[in-house]
Amino acid sequence: MATLDGKVVLFGGYGTSYQNDTWTFDGVDWTQLSSTNSPPARECAAMATRNGVVVLFGGRGASASFDDTWTFDGTNWTELSPATSPTAREYAAVATLGGNVVLFGGSDDLMNYVFDDTWTFDGTNWAQLSILGPSTRDFSSAAVEGSDLVLFGGESNEGVDGDTWTFDGTNWAQAFPTFSPTPREGFTLATLDGELVLFGGASDNVSVLDDTWTFDGTVWAQLDLVTSPPGRVRASVAVLP
């Protein structure tokens, strides 16, 4: 999901089969849109909003992962032909920073190979950055806090991660907060009122979490809430203006 013109935009996913439908939510109702063109059916694509359009990359289809890039202007989808592009993948972390879409990691269609590469998209081409950063992982999440993109957790071949990283548009730096959420994957992460809000996820294949944390760029703080959603993993979240 992503936000565009004050609306939440939802594309695809998996129900009884892979989907390629596009929906918007205006705070009152969901509306299904009929675009002249549309990406092929898929789940777990990376989506972010850049300069008034939604950018979609990759995801998993019925037989393989994709490496295509699409934009959505609120009416129609358009497939782009970047000169350079990330390899096909799913479950990547993505957010928009400084006018560029930033994509990190993910895994291939069989989840046999997990990536640790960083890419930016300027509206025309993807560019891979030759920098060191987080270890290989998928099912992590990223969001912007202040002038930095923040990435937390995820799952690597060695297990789930609980590290915090910041990206300033040029380099990654690992942060070392005094307290942090427990290692997890498949959690939600969004920016609200200048802070990151993290909810849920899973610490392993059995333990589903229901805790809520905030991060102000320096400190993680767990919230003591009276009411909270039941624990869950790999949900989606967006901020409604």
Side-chain angles (χ1 to χ4, degrees):
M1 291 194 298
T3 56
L4 181 67
D5 296 332
K7 298 178 181 179
V8 174
V9 179
L10 180 148
F11 175 81
Y14 185 88
T16 56
S17 61
Y18 290 92
Q19 306 295 316
N20 71 332
D21 47 349
T22 303
W23 294 76
T24 61
F25 181 68
D26 61 5
V28 179
D29 293 312
W30 285 99
T31 300
Q32 185 172 3
L33 305 184
S34 299
S35 176
T36 303
N37 299 305
S38 183
R42 67 191 68 193
E43 65 172 354
C44 303
M47 280 179 61
T49 305
R50 178 194 176 276
N51 287 1
V53 298
V54 171
V55 178
L56 179 149
F57 175 80
R60 178 176 175 79
S63 58
S65 294
F66 292 99
D67 62 355
D68 49 352
T69 302
W70 295 75
T71 61
F72 180 68
D73 62 6
T75 303
N76 288 310
W77 287 97
T78 301
E79 184 173 9
L80 306 184
S81 299
T84 55
S85 183
T87 53
R89 67 190 65 195
E90 57 205 56
Y91 310 124
V94 64
T96 301
L97 178 69
N100 288 329
V101 175
V102 180
L103 182 147
F104 177 82
S107 54
D108 66 5
D109 57 336
L110 298 177
M111 297 181 67
N112 289 329
Y113 188 85
V114 185
F115 300 99
D116 64 353
D117 47 354
T118 303
W119 294 78
T120 61
F121 181 69
D122 63 5
T124 302
N125 284 313
W126 289 96
Q128 184 175 1
L129 305 186
S130 299
I131 56 175
L132 297 176
S135 59
T136 57
R137 67 190 66 195
D138 53 12
F139 294 116
S140 63
S141 289
V144 172
E145 193 285 322
S147 59
D148 291 335
L149 179 149
V150 178
L151 181 144
F152 178 80
E155 183 175 17
S156 65
N157 291 331
E158 288 73 40
V160 292
D161 299 301
D163 46 353
T164 301
W165 291 78
T166 62
F167 178 69
D168 63 5
T170 303
N171 291 302
W172 287 101
Q174 187 171 1
F176 295 93
T178 303
F179 301 102
S180 292
T182 54
R184 66 191 65 199
E185 56 91 2
F187 52 90
T188 65
L189 190 66
T191 307
L192 180 66
D193 296 332
E195 289 190 325
L196 301 188
V197 179
L198 180 152
F199 173 77
S203 58
D204 51 43
N205 292 328
V206 178
S207 303
V208 178
L209 303 166
D210 64 355
D211 49 349
T212 301
W213 293 73
T214 61
F215 184 66
D216 64 4
T218 304
V219 177
W220 283 102
Q222 185 173 2
L223 303 186
D224 184 11
L225 303 176
V226 175
T227 305
S228 178
R232 64 195 64 197
V233 64
R234 299 172 191 171
S236 295
V237 65
V239 176
L240 185 65

